Amino acid sequence: MKKICSLIVLLLGLNLAALAQMVNPIHFTSQLKTNPSSDEAEIIFSATIDKGWHLYSTELGEDGPISATFYANKMDGVKTIGKLKPVGKEISQYDNMFGMKLRFFEGKGSFVQKIKFTKENYSIDCYLEYGACNDEMCMPPTQISLVKSGKAPIFDGQVKEAADKKEEAGKKEEAEAQAAEATAAANMQDSASVQAADSSRSAAAILTDEEAKALWKPVISELQAYDETQSDNSLLYIFMAGFVGGFLALLTPCVWPIIPMTVSFFLKRNKERSKAIREAVTYGISIVVIYVLLGLVVTLLFGASALNALSTNAVFNIFFCVLLLVFAASFFGAFELTLPSSWSNKIDQKSENTSGLMSIFLMAFTLTLVSFSCTGPIIGFLLVAVSTQGSLLAPTTGMLGFAIALAIPFTLFAMFPSLLKSAPKSGGWMNVVKVVLGFIELAFALKFLSVADLAYGWHILDREVFVSLWIVIFGLLGIYLMGWLKFPHDDPEHRTNVPQFFLGMLSLAFTVYMIPGLWGAPLKAISAFAPPMNTQDFNLQKSAVEAHYTDYDEGMAAAARMGKPAMVDFTGFGCVNCRKMEAAVWTDPKVADLLNNDYVLISLYVDDKTPLKEPIQVTENGQQRTLRTLGDKWSYLQRTKVGANTQPFYVLLDNEGMPLNGSRSYDEDIQEYVNFLQKGLDNYKK
């Protein structure tokens, strides 16, 4: 069954692996706004937010994502008034993953902390900690600081004296409250502190200082080398997908009958066979140039980054779904997608009135216009599939494969005209090819609708509904190939031939294969297309994966002791997509088996607020930074070692801290995740 689906996957192309990269989608400025006639002021943090990202607001709760929070390192001559206040167009929306209403900003937003001067000279050292996410990834807790000192614009000694007396009156009560709070916090953190101390001793007992230092060595270039190799492979798959699409276009009634006509024209036009062959080759090259230019136009119009954004944009995914439904209806015979006949007539006339290479190029262009009713849906299908890969070369590579497959027969038959006698004659079988392509486009229209459904939380296309529809579609395809179902353009007297019979058997077998998916079977052959497992209401398959190590050094020491590779999972308590991956991918039995038995799983939470025993001063990009919490430490490790700052982010390491494979981020393709883990394991064994 996997081989059956791999042919379909090949037609669409595979998703490119996300490359490790640093992102900075939130652009903050900080300022101190004073009033010459008042002893009060405002600390303002203003943000400009990149499109597709949202910046979380304040006080979202412990079970939510990272809230915007104000922290003061030093406030001499200044005291805060009230809480941090979000300012701007705040969006409030229910989030299904967290099960709570979240508040966030898009485009721009600000946070304001009011303060009051208590001395004539003041010194402020503070920062805002915030979190941000888009549809695929989240940033770790990030900080924007403000350091300011000087003289207060106005300072009234009497006002200060009155304020001091008021503060002193409640000082005892406040001190008692703080003491009670500190005691409670100490009790809550006691076990965590002991565990952290034990972890340090455990790691120190196994790793020397030099070994521990080597584990933190940056491996950014090594990861990029792996990822570039994977990208090249993906481009090869995209080329092959285009080639298969071009081959299928050849077998349609709009293209196949033109081949003998075109070859005969070249042979009759030139008495010399060698010249006819040269012109036929030129004709084939012209076809390649035209379609490759089409791929370039798509990329230049949108750009690689915009094309990548389409893959997660709900509106565009709905548009793609409707587009594929229209293509499918056209192939089923509801109507024909044709370009204005005047276009092809004008191009044809110009080709007759010109000579040389230009006339041949115009003839090739006429072919693309005349055959559009059959090639248009295939080209559109291919461009929709590969344009959302985020690669600058994807559309061009896909069109190159398509054009080469389309051009080869014209050149081949011109060189060897006798082959035309043995070529299949035009007939009803070509309409069968169109209808089969219609079923495939109908099936994959649901994939794009599923993306929009997940984005908006409609829950109209949960996994069992999606699988049910695919069962019906491929079941009907099998029935059609067996000859039990007819469409308007089908020959009433056409009988099922042997190739159709075997293809019908495969389609029906694929249908039977998908039926257990209604009860939670993983269906790895279609895992890249079906909605995640956590959208299925009734699931008999249960697999659990739990990280036994949340400390990098301790986990790497354990991996060396057990002789296993390590998977470092950079995650966060407030990372939505991390939970999606754990629910949809880690629950797969094969993935769970690899992570539980063949790897040491180390989950590093970049938003862990557990304070370090002592703050750590580091230099990053020429600037001094202070790491105050475990989350700060793991976020620093992610940036400096693997060159990324988004979650989820997965890296496979050997016992010396070197990568075994490329990196991986948010992608619910289970089979690709299995391949990612298996390749790392194979490289470790080598």
Side-chain angles (χ1 to χ4, degrees):
M1 289 299 99
K2 294 180 182 178
K3 292 183 178 179
I4 299 171
C5 191
S6 65
L7 294 175
I8 301 173
V9 175
L10 186 61
L11 182 61
L12 279 178
L14 300 179
N15 287 333
L16 292 177
L19 299 180
Q21 56 182 349
M22 299 290 288
V23 297
N24 183 29
I26 313 297
H27 312 282
F28 258 110
T29 59
S30 59
Q31 62 172 316
L32 176 63
K33 185 178 179 181
T34 59
N35 186 342
S37 60
S38 173
D39 60 350
E40 294 185 357
E42 292 180 339
I43 298 174
I44 304 175
F45 300 96
S46 301
T48 301
I49 308 163
D50 288 354
K51 189 175 181 180
W53 286 80
H54 48 261
L55 171 67
Y56 289 115
S57 188
T58 59
E59 298 182 322
L60 298 181
E62 295 183 358
D63 296 329
I66 301 165
S67 303
T69 309
F70 179 82
Y71 291 97
N73 294 326
K74 180 181 179 182
M75 299 286 277
D76 186 19
V78 176
K79 68 176 182 178
T80 58
I81 301 176
K83 297 180 180 180
L84 183 69
K85 180 181 178 182
V87 178
K89 186 178 179 181
E90 190 179 65
I91 300 171
S92 181
Q93 183 175 299
Y94 186 82
D95 187 276
N96 292 318
M97 178 60 66
F98 284 105
M100 61 189 297
K101 185 172 286 188
L102 299 180
R103 294 175 290 106
F104 54 87
F105 293 101
E106 291 183 348
K108 60 181 180 179
S110 300
F111 299 97
V112 176
Q113 176 64 60
K114 285 189 175 183
I115 60 171
K116 184 174 183 178
F117 298 110
T118 59
K119 293 181 181 179
E120 184 175 0
N121 295 311
Y122 69 88
S123 178
I124 302 173
D125 182 1
C126 62
Y127 64 93
L128 174 78
E129 185 173 82
Y130 63 92
C133 292
N134 66 5
D135 290 337
E136 290 190 348
M137 61 185 70
C138 292
M139 293 181 63
T142 311
Q143 301 170 359
I144 173 69
S145 61
L146 174 72
V147 178
K148 202 83 172 177
S149 61
K151 288 188 176 182
I154 185 172
F155 186 79
D156 190 334
Q158 293 180 350
V159 173
K160 175 183 180 301
E161 183 179 354
D164 289 344
K165 288 182 179 179
K166 185 177 180 180
E167 288 181 3
E168 188 176 352
K171 190 173 182 180
K172 183 177 181 181
E173 181 180 351
E174 182 179 351
E176 291 175 353
Q178 289 180 349
E181 184 178 324
T183 302
N187 291 335
M188 292 176 63
Q189 295 181 1
D190 183 60
S191 59
S193 301
V194 172
Q195 183 179 1
D198 290 343
S199 298
S200 300
R201 286 193 295 271
S202 176
I206 297 175
L207 300 175
T208 65
D209 291 341
E210 289 298 321
E211 289 172 335
K213 185 178 180 180
L215 292 176
W216 285 65
K217 176 184 175 183
V219 293
I220 300 172
S221 59
E222 289 83 355
L223 281 173
Q224 289 177 345
Y226 275 115
D227 287 331
E228 287 171 2
T229 302
Q230 292 173 354
S231 297
D232 294 340
N233 290 337
S234 294
L235 288 177
L236 176 62
Y237 281 117
I238 290 173
F239 174 84
M240 292 304 299
F243 189 86
V244 171
F247 178 74
L248 292 174
L250 277 174
L251 304 179
T252 60
C254 309
V255 180
W256 188 260
I258 300 177
I259 296 176
M261 295 168 55
T262 306
V263 173
S264 299
F265 171 80
F266 282 123
L267 293 175
K268 292 177 181 178
R269 175 174 168 173
N270 301 285
K271 295 182 179 180
E272 295 182 12
R273 184 167 175 268
S274 59
K275 187 176 181 181
I277 292 174
R278 285 199 302 272
E279 290 195 351
V281 171
T282 305
Y283 183 76
I285 294 174
S286 299
I287 293 174
V288 173
V289 170
I290 290 169
Y291 283 108
V292 168
L293 286 175
L294 176 61
L296 285 173
V297 167
V298 170
T299 303
L300 293 175
L301 283 177
F302 295 99
S305 59
L307 291 173
N308 185 47
L310 296 183
S311 63
T312 55
N313 185 286
V315 175
F316 275 100
N317 275 280
I318 293 174
F319 171 75
F320 291 154
C321 172
V322 174
L323 188 65
L324 292 184
L325 289 175
V326 171
F327 290 160
S330 173
F331 275 151
F332 288 149
F335 49 83
E336 283 195 2
L337 296 171
T338 57
L339 297 173
S341 58
S342 59
W343 293 10
S344 57
N345 291 336
K346 289 180 181 179
I347 298 296
D348 191 35
Q349 290 174 3
K350 288 185 179 181
S351 67
E352 292 179 357
N353 296 331
T354 56
S355 58
L357 295 177
M358 181 55 67
S359 67
I360 297 174
F361 182 83
L362 291 174
M363 286 178 61
F365 196 62
T366 303
L367 169 69
T368 62
L369 297 178
V370 172
S371 62
F372 179 80
S373 60
C374 291
T375 60
I378 299 175
I379 293 171
F381 185 30
L382 179 65
L383 287 177
V384 166
V386 304
S387 292
T388 55
Q389 305 304 307
S391 169
L392 187 65
L393 296 176
T396 307
T397 304
M399 286 296 96
L400 177 63
F402 180 90
I404 289 176
L406 201 63
I408 284 176
F410 292 94
T411 306
L412 187 64
F413 287 129
M415 291 181 175
F416 308 100
S418 59
L419 292 177
L420 281 172
K421 297 179 181 179
S422 58
K425 304 299 181 183
S426 300
W429 63 270
M430 291 186 294
N431 192 68
V432 173
V433 174
K434 286 181 62 177
V435 173
V436 170
L437 290 175
F439 275 107
I440 293 175
E441 297 208 347
L442 180 61
F444 285 99
L446 296 177
K447 166 60 180 174
F448 294 101
L449 179 60
S450 173
V451 174
D453 179 64
L454 290 170
Y456 286 115
W458 296 330
H459 294 291
I460 61 174
L461 203 61
D462 287 343
R463 188 175 184 271
E464 63 267 36
V465 178
F466 182 95
V467 173
S468 297
L469 290 172
W470 267 42
I471 289 173
V472 172
I473 290 171
F474 285 95
L476 288 174
L477 174 58
I479 291 173
Y480 171 78
L481 290 170
M482 290 296 183
W484 303 329
L485 179 65
K486 296 289 184 181
F487 283 88
H489 292 168
D490 285 323
D491 184 355
E493 299 180 358
H494 177 72
R495 295 185 177 182
T496 301
N497 54 39
V498 175
Q500 276 185 234
F501 175 76
F502 282 112
L503 287 175
M505 285 184 61
L506 289 175
S507 183
L508 292 174
F510 183 54
T511 301
V512 174
Y513 162 78
M514 289 189 289
I515 291 176
L518 298 174
W519 292 273
L523 301 183
K524 295 178 182 178
I526 66 168
S527 60
F529 308 104
M533 190 73 75
N534 64 329
T535 65
Q536 181 143 335
D537 297 327
F538 184 63
N539 185 4
L540 298 178
Q541 306 293 322
K542 298 295 181 183
S543 298
V545 174
E546 183 179 353
H548 295 290
Y549 299 94
T550 56
D551 181 280
Y552 176 67
D553 295 304
E554 179 187 1
M556 292 299 293
R561 185 171 64 251
M562 291 185 281
K564 293 182 178 181
M567 186 177 93
V568 181
D569 163 34
F570 290 100
T571 183
F573 295 116
C575 174
V576 177
N577 292 310
C578 301
R579 303 295 85 77
K580 288 182 180 179
M581 288 293 291
E582 292 160 11
V585 179
W586 286 13
T587 54
D588 177 77
K590 180 64 175 177
V591 174
D593 180 66
L594 285 167
L595 291 178
N596 287 329
N597 299 320
D598 296 312
Y599 280 91
V600 171
L601 178 59
I602 307 170
S603 289
L604 304 179
Y605 290 85
V606 298
D607 54 358
D608 190 337
K609 297 301 183 184
T610 304
L612 297 172
K613 289 184 176 180
E614 293 183 3
I616 302 174
Q617 295 291 333
V618 297
T619 302
E620 186 177 3
N621 298 325
Q623 296 182 347
Q624 290 286 332
R625 284 180 57 91
T626 302
L627 309 181
R628 300 179 178 87
T629 66
L630 281 177
D632 292 343
K633 182 179 179 181
W634 305 139
S635 182
Y636 173 74
L637 172 67
Q638 184 183 9
R639 294 192 304 272
T640 57
K641 185 171 180 67
V642 300
N645 65 343
T646 59
Q647 295 78 46
F649 196 82
Y650 310 104
V651 184
L652 308 179
L653 301 177
D654 64 15
N655 300 136
E656 296 179 355
M658 300 301 292
L660 297 165
N661 197 357
S663 60
R664 194 164 182 83
S665 54
Y666 176 73
D667 185 351
E668 294 183 11
D669 187 332
I670 294 176
Q671 188 56 50
E672 285 297 305
Y673 204 86
V674 171
N675 295 341
F676 163 72
L677 294 174
Q678 191 60 55
K679 182 177 179 181
L681 187 62
D682 293 341
N683 288 340
Y684 179 80
K685 291 178 179 178
K686 291 178 183 179

